[in-house]
Amino acid sequence: MTSILRIFAISIATALALPAHAQDGGRKAIAYVQAPEMSSGLCTEGDTASAIDCAVKRCIDGGGTAEDCQVNATCYPGGWSVDIFMMADGGPHWHQFSCGWQSRELALKAAELACSNAAENNLIECTAVQLIDEDGMMFEPPFN
């Protein structure tokens, strides 16, 4: 009986030690890193840390500095993501990134909600500019 309990305990410990992506059938994490007014990076990888490392590298390669390339959003599992371009009255602009949505429709609703009070926030432009699926496929408008 003791050996059966030991085997059971080892089995449970092994299952708990497996990486999350192996348990989730190969799901991917997504990370969006941004250096405002300079550069950004977006990556999907098997785990969150790898996605962040990749996105930071892309941000730096695009002209951002290591200090300025900051994590804007990360999700595991990545699901559907939306990149929302925002521009304030006077010129400053940035991207807001929302991830982890179960469908492209929900990701687009998140963008719609983020832009719903654009005028009150002195935004002269607010629009979804890109949808990204969990595999990193990017879709540009129109999102029909």
Side-chain angles (χ1 to χ4, degrees):
M1 188 85 148
T2 305
S3 61
I4 292 174
L5 287 175
R6 184 176 298 152
I7 292 170
F8 180 72
I10 291 170
S11 298
I12 295 296
T14 302
L16 292 174
L18 288 174
H21 64 274
Q23 292 178 4
D24 289 341
R27 305 273 326 248
K28 293 183 179 178
I30 191 164
Y32 181 73
V33 170
Q34 183 173 208
E37 304 285 337
M38 287 188 268
S39 183
S40 64
L42 170 71
C43 286
T44 58
E45 295 287 340
D47 61 80
T48 303
S50 297
I52 291 171
D53 289 346
C54 172
V56 167
K57 182 179 180 332
R58 287 187 179 174
C59 179
I60 293 169
D61 290 349
T65 65
E67 296 79 34
D68 290 323
C69 290
Q70 299 295 314
V71 175
N72 184 264
T74 183
C75 289
Y76 182 86
W80 280 90
S81 303
V82 62
D83 179 359
I84 308 159
F85 176 79
M86 297 179 166
M87 181 181 240
D89 188 19
H93 61 278
W94 63 94
H95 291 257
Q96 182 173 318
F97 195 81
S98 182
C99 57
W101 298 100
Q102 293 178 351
S103 69
R104 68 186 279 137
E105 292 78 18
L106 288 174
L108 287 170
K109 286 289 184 187
E112 185 180 313
L113 182 61
C115 293
S116 66
N117 59 356
E120 294 88 33
N121 290 323
N122 296 320
L123 297 178
I124 58 172
E125 188 173 347
C126 185
T127 188
V129 293
Q130 200 170 60
L131 279 172
I132 304 98
D133 71 10
E134 192 166 314
D135 292 322
M137 287 271 300
M138 297 179 189
F139 306 88
E140 294 183 4
F143 300 117
N144 301 330

